[in-house]
Amino acid sequence: MGERLVGTISRGVRTPIIREGDNLAQIVVDSVLAAAADNDEGFTVRDMDVLAVTEAVVARAQGNYATVNDIAADVKAKYGDSTIGVIFPILSRNRFSICLKGIAKGAKKIVLMLSYPSDEVGNHLVDEDELDEKGVNPWSDVLSEERYRELFGYKKHEFTGVDYIEVYKELITEQGAEVEVVLANDCRTILDYTDSVLCCDIHSRARTKRRLLAAGAKTVYGLDDILTAPVNGSGYNENYGLLGSNKATEDTVKLFPRDCEPFVNQVQQMMKERTGRQIEVMVYGDGAFKDPIGKIWELADPCVSPAFTPGLNGQPNEIKLKYLADNDFADLSGEELKAAISERIRNKADNLVGDMASQGTTPRRLTDLIGSLCDLTSGSGDKGTPVIYIQGYFDNYTK
């Protein structure tokens, strides 16, 4: 048998539409094995294949939903009648609009403090070049809504076509709460307006909370503290609360899934029983990559993968082929070059950190890399492939 000429393959696998209460593990395994047996596009299941399932269908099968009223009840219980400083939300109707409705419904007054020129995942309110033109220093200048309009006018987001300040204000007032808008990048600025704060940032949330408490804030929660337990029978997420939630309907959100570890272990076990192969399984959400045009960093979930089987732990440990070809074996070619590189790969150290031959490889977690590949393969629209099946990811030049 000749050598394999194909490396990594990422396949989208179609499944039935998943509904609350479905046996998702059974559906996933059946769908993958049906795809594998397909006469035209089938494949052979191998050890170390990766089966990934999008978090959206895991949460849907769990029925992990909450309403505007559920969010409002939790916010009211935590803040009472205090003016709430809602700070650093991302500019996304899908991600934040229903959360904001619930927060506003549970509040009397909100001071909405937005970071600028963009939110933390790269959605821009205003272009950096305009800040320079107007002499605005985003690190120190605090802008009222009035001052922001004087400087920059009304800006519609290039992808969504909406003015987020306008949209978020309207969402708040529709729920009967007062609103004041401020633009600033130091979280402690909010303490000039209120000492009760709801931090809506994702990846910087721990630091934001710590700085606020050190500066004298009295009540500080994050989105990850709202709906960490059921409210009136709602869904919840004990680790992430509202973080990672998406708009489901005009008054409900689908929360990030919970209890994902038993799910991935079950799928791995079922695949072993059906095929005899040891594959790895993960649940994935947003990938972690940046759009060079829109400047949006995709990861609006709290993590790329909330659960995965043990074989996906760690980082790649790879040697740069072109480094070896251009340096160590620059005088070789053809079969001799291939043999030399293959031998070097077979004998590489278990940890290549600091080794020149690994320079330029990607020191990211396997689950972040594979989850990003999955997100790009499944897309965010109508492909209908909530399961991704990856083969050859752990192969190298010697396999």
Side-chain angles (χ1 to χ4, degrees):
M1 183 176 170
E3 65 179 313
R4 277 175 57 198
L5 298 177
V6 176
T8 301
I9 299 169
S10 179
R11 289 182 176 88
V13 176
R14 288 194 175 147
T15 68
I17 300 296
I18 307 301
R19 294 296 186 195
E20 181 175 346
D22 283 349
N23 183 339
L24 185 62
Q26 188 71 55
I27 291 170
V28 165
V29 170
D30 287 348
S31 298
V32 167
L33 294 181
D38 183 270
N39 287 333
D40 296 321
E41 299 182 46
F43 53 89
T44 302
V45 174
R46 303 188 187 105
D47 290 326
M48 291 302 290
D49 287 352
V50 180
L51 192 167
V53 184
T54 178
E55 59 81 21
V57 296
V58 180
R60 194 185 304 151
Q62 291 175 346
N64 205 20
Y65 292 87
T67 68
V68 165
N69 288 337
D70 299 329
I71 298 167
D74 202 8
V75 167
K76 181 77 172 166
K78 287 180 165 69
Y79 290 94
D81 289 335
S82 303
T83 294
I84 305 174
V86 174
I87 70 169
F88 301 157
I90 67 170
L91 305 175
S92 167
R93 290 168 298 174
N94 174 44
R95 289 292 187 169
F96 194 64
S97 63
I98 309 303
C99 295
L100 184 56
K101 274 189 184 181
I103 295 162
K105 192 163 189 176
K108 287 191 170 179
K109 181 177 179 181
I110 284 175
V111 179
L112 181 67
M113 192 170 93
L114 304 174
S115 57
Y116 76 98
S118 73
D119 67 12
E120 70 175 304
V121 295
N123 291 296
H124 275 69
L125 278 171
V126 63
D127 193 89
E128 281 109 329
D129 289 336
E130 285 192 76
L131 295 186
D132 296 341
E133 285 169 25
K134 306 286 186 181
V136 174
N137 181 347
W139 303 111
S140 60
D141 293 352
V142 176
L143 306 178
S144 65
E145 182 187 359
E146 184 183 26
R147 181 62 179 145
Y148 170 81
R149 295 299 188 197
E150 281 174 14
L151 289 165
F152 305 112
Y154 285 77
K155 298 280 184 189
K156 292 193 185 297
H157 190 280
E158 66 172 318
F159 291 163
T160 61
V162 303
D163 181 303
Y164 277 98
I165 293 177
E166 211 168 42
V167 168
Y168 282 1
K169 275 183 72 178
E170 196 173 299
L171 285 171
I172 293 167
T173 55
E174 281 175 354
Q175 299 302 317
E178 285 182 66
V179 61
E180 180 177 355
V181 176
V182 181
L183 291 94
N185 289 311
D186 186 330
C187 63
R188 294 165 295 192
T189 300
I190 197 64
L191 300 180
D192 294 335
Y193 302 84
T194 178
D195 57 12
S196 296
V197 189
L198 177 56
C199 306
C200 300
D201 45 344
I202 305 162
H203 309 294
S204 53
R205 63 189 185 275
R207 180 171 186 251
T208 300
K209 290 179 194 176
R210 176 176 56 75
R211 295 177 83 200
L212 285 167
L213 289 167
K218 284 188 182 166
T219 306
V220 178
Y221 293 102
L223 284 182
D224 57 330
D225 301 308
I226 308 295
L227 291 186
T228 53
V231 172
N232 302 321
S234 73
Y236 65 97
N237 189 300
E238 67 274 29
N239 297 316
Y240 299 118
L242 282 175
L243 284 184
S245 64
N246 282 277
K247 179 179 179 177
T249 69
E250 290 305 320
D251 66 352
T252 59
V253 288
K254 177 188 60 58
L255 301 171
F256 212 48
R258 50 180 202 269
D259 302 326
C260 292
E261 200 162 309
F263 170 74
V264 297
N265 291 334
Q266 183 187 7
V267 171
Q268 184 183 55
Q269 182 60 33
M270 289 172 74
M271 286 291 290
K272 184 77 180 276
E273 289 166 1
R274 300 271 295 269
T275 68
R277 298 296 184 180
Q278 180 78 3
I279 69 162
E280 302 300 334
V281 183
M282 65 184 283
V283 174
Y284 71 95
D286 280 342
F289 45 81
K290 186 170 181 177
D291 171 13
I293 305 299
K295 302 174 185 170
I296 298 167
W297 182 44
E298 178 71 8
L299 187 57
D301 286 326
C303 60
V304 173
S305 176
F308 47 89
T309 49
L312 296 176
N313 218 355
Q315 298 176 340
N317 190 53
E318 298 175 338
I319 289 174
K320 200 84 168 175
L321 283 188
K322 63 185 181 186
Y323 179 88
L324 297 180
D326 290 344
N327 291 273
D328 297 30
F329 306 123
D331 55 333
L332 302 181
S333 61
E335 285 300 318
E336 200 178 2
L337 174 61
K338 181 179 176 182
I341 287 179
S342 296
E343 183 66 17
R344 175 67 70 86
I345 292 171
R346 274 192 289 270
N347 294 310
K348 68 185 175 184
D350 291 336
N351 186 348
L352 292 168
V353 172
D355 188 317
M356 283 299 288
S358 71
Q359 187 172 293
T361 59
T362 311
R364 293 168 61 189
R365 290 182 301 186
L366 285 166
T367 50
D368 292 341
L369 291 162
I370 297 170
S372 298
L373 173 60
C374 292
D375 192 24
L376 287 165
T377 305
S378 61
S380 56
D382 57 9
K383 292 192 191 308
T385 56
V387 174
I388 305 299
Y389 199 79
I390 297 171
Q391 297 191 286
Y393 193 85
F394 295 99
D395 287 0
N396 61 41
Y397 190 61
T398 67
K399 300 292 175 70

